[in-house]
Amino acid sequence: MSDGTMIMLIFGLIALLGGGTTAIVLLVAKRVRAHKERTYTGQTVGTIVRVRPGSVDRPTTVYVRYEVDGATYEHHETVKLTSETIKLGPIPIGQRKHGKIPSRVGCTVPVAYLPEDPSKAILVGNDGLMNA
């Protein structure tokens, strides 16, 4: 086997390893979220009390305060994005990204929580893999 072929084989294996690892991580994250959506059956409304704005190297995080049976809890989660194509006539020229949930202090968001332990919660509708 030539040196060029060996180098290409090594780089190909490295690329497959990285892509495979990424695929596994994304699959696990999706399954964990789906499990929480099935088991967190309690519903309430929370209020965003703090927002940590995102930047190039970190996503936007919202801190939500909610109440269950007279007890107050706080939950934080990164804001997931949805994407909309920007077109000039029929030609796509870019993308506009929007948060799946509001990310302003004072906004209300639906919260699903685990009935046995209301401190465990997720923000309803904030599903996906792309962060703000």
Side-chain angles (χ1 to χ4, degrees), residues 2-64:
S2 72
D3 287 344
T5 305
M6 184 61 86
I7 290 171
M8 291 300 290
L9 181 62
I10 290 170
F11 278 118
L13 287 173
I14 291 170
L16 283 174
L17 188 68
T21 303
T22 301
I24 289 170
V25 167
L26 294 176
L27 180 64
V28 168
K30 186 175 180 180
R31 285 188 175 202
V32 167
R33 179 70 185 203
H35 175 72
K36 287 181 179 179
E37 288 174 352
R38 283 191 309 274
T39 57
Y40 289 22
T41 56
Q43 293 280 326
T44 190
V45 175
T47 302
I48 297 174
V49 294
R50 186 168 72 118
V51 177
R52 187 185 76 188
S55 63
V56 174
D57 60 343
R58 73 170 187 207
T60 298
T61 302
V62 292
Y63 293 78
V64 176

Side-chain angles (χ1 to χ4, degrees), residues 95-111:
Q95 290 185 350
R96 182 176 298 120
K97 294 180 168 82
H98 303 283
K100 287 191 152 190
I101 59 170
S103 57
R104 292 179 310 281
V105 172
C107 289
T108 58
V109 290
V111 177

